[in-house]
Amino acid sequence: MPPLSPRVGTTRSFATLRAVSALMLREMATRYGRSPGGYLWALLEPLGGIMVMALGFSLLLRSPPLGNSFMLFYATGFLPFSLYQGIARFVGGSIEFSKPLLQYPAVTWVDAAIARFLLNALTGILIALLLISGIMIVSETRALVELPPIVTAMSLALLIGLSIGVLNCALFGLFPVWTQVWGIFTRPLFLASGVLILYDDLPTSVQNILWYNPLMHVTGLMRSGFYPSYRADYVDLTYCLATGLIPLFLGVVLMSRYHREILANK
């Protein structure tokens, strides 16, 4: 088959951009346009969670495990975890959400996944920026921000969320029971990802198990960007990249092979 001409490739790229933009606008209107406050709730929800955790643990502990601000400590763990969780959940449900539009040849499963990834990534990053900036302005955190580990941690959270989301997108469609199994399997993930406690404070036997959770590496790396005295020596970037790229590859292969069957079964 002859290669596509540049004009055909440009036309397809424009069609993809148009489809992704339309899907993002549709989801924004569906998710935020029907409730009072709209996008404001996307900011208030994580803020409320961080405040509740900070207040609860401030009543039990004299000081947080790092620094002197409970809110900053829990924000640096909660926000990258929340970013991963949102990306994985919404990308995993992209076929179900966009099924009516996927009946049109101009819209593909890739467009649906990219649209949900971009919308939730931009929203999550904006929320993290606003909340952490606000916490550092209104409280005496004495934090010294180092951007490289922070950017790396957030990027890894995005990658892992995308990879798990694409893989689950295929598995949810091929094996509907996997939806319930995955929900049960990941229920303790919040506690096992270093959101509430440092990896270094855990017993060695627990460390040996939780080291294999890539989100534990992400939260540790994130905190090392705010607390210069904290050295997250256990963080392995190669392992985090592998746990992000391998599921992504498997998910793309499965979706490319079975997306028509998944759509027919929905």
Side-chain angles (χ1 to χ4, degrees):
M1 189 175 85
L4 293 175
S5 67
R7 183 174 180 179
V8 174
T10 302
T11 302
R12 179 56 204 161
S13 298
F14 179 74
T16 298
L17 178 61
R18 185 170 57 182
V20 169
S21 301
L23 289 168
M24 290 176 66
L25 291 173
R26 174 176 178 264
E27 178 156 358
M28 289 173 65
T30 302
R31 197 192 311 176
Y32 301 113
R34 296 181 180 177
S35 60
Y39 249 103
L40 184 60
W41 287 110
L43 180 65
L44 293 178
E45 185 177 358
L47 176 60
I50 292 169
M51 291 182 66
V52 168
M53 286 189 292
L55 177 61
F57 280 91
S58 66
L59 298 176
L60 300 175
L61 304 174
R62 182 173 301 177
S63 62
L66 291 174
N68 60 354
S69 171
F70 281 95
M71 287 193 67
L72 182 63
F73 176 79
Y74 294 119
T76 54
F78 179 79
L79 290 173
F81 174 82
S82 177
L83 181 63
Y84 152 80
Q85 190 178 48
I87 295 289
R89 178 160 59 96
F90 285 107
V91 172
S94 55
I95 297 296
E96 180 71 29
F97 181 80
S98 302
K99 181 185 175 182
L101 297 179
L102 291 174
Q103 305 302 323
Y104 297 97
V107 183
T108 68
W109 72 267
V110 178
D111 300 330
I114 291 176
R116 293 204 113 185
F117 170 74
L118 289 178
L119 177 60
N120 288 281
L122 293 173
T123 302
I125 291 172
L126 178 61
I127 289 171
L129 180 62
L130 291 175
L131 287 182
I132 289 179
S133 298
I135 291 171
M136 295 185 68
I137 290 172
V138 302
S139 60
E140 280 291 328
T141 62
R142 300 177 185 174
L144 298 176
V145 177
E146 295 183 16
L147 285 179
I150 296 172
V151 172
T152 303
M154 296 296 278
S155 300
L156 288 172
L158 290 172
L159 173 62
I160 297 170
L162 174 63
S163 66
I164 297 299
V166 173
L167 180 59
N168 277 340
C169 195
L171 296 179
F172 291 161
L174 294 172
F175 311 103
V177 71
W178 179 246
T179 305
Q180 285 73 36
V181 173
W182 180 254
I184 296 172
F185 179 74
T186 57
R187 194 161 294 169
L189 196 59
F190 181 84
L191 298 176
S193 298
V195 176
L196 301 178
I197 192 170
L198 291 177
Y199 175 87
D200 312 77
D201 294 338
L202 296 170
T204 303
S205 58
V206 179
Q207 288 181 351
N208 293 336
I209 298 173
L210 295 186
W211 186 92
Y212 292 98
N213 176 10
L215 296 177
M216 182 66 79
H217 298 248
V218 170
T219 55
L221 185 61
M222 182 75 170
R223 286 186 170 125
S224 69
F226 289 90
Y227 304 99
S229 61
Y230 179 61
R231 297 183 60 186
D233 295 326
Y234 65 92
V235 172
D236 189 330
L237 297 181
T238 303
Y239 175 73
C240 292
L241 286 172
T243 55
L245 294 176
I246 293 174
L248 180 59
F249 172 77
L250 294 175
V252 170
V253 170
L254 289 173
M255 286 300 298
S256 299
R257 171 63 180 84
Y258 296 108
H259 68 274
R260 291 185 179 86
E261 288 87 340
I262 293 172
L263 276 174
N265 294 333
K266 287 291 183 179

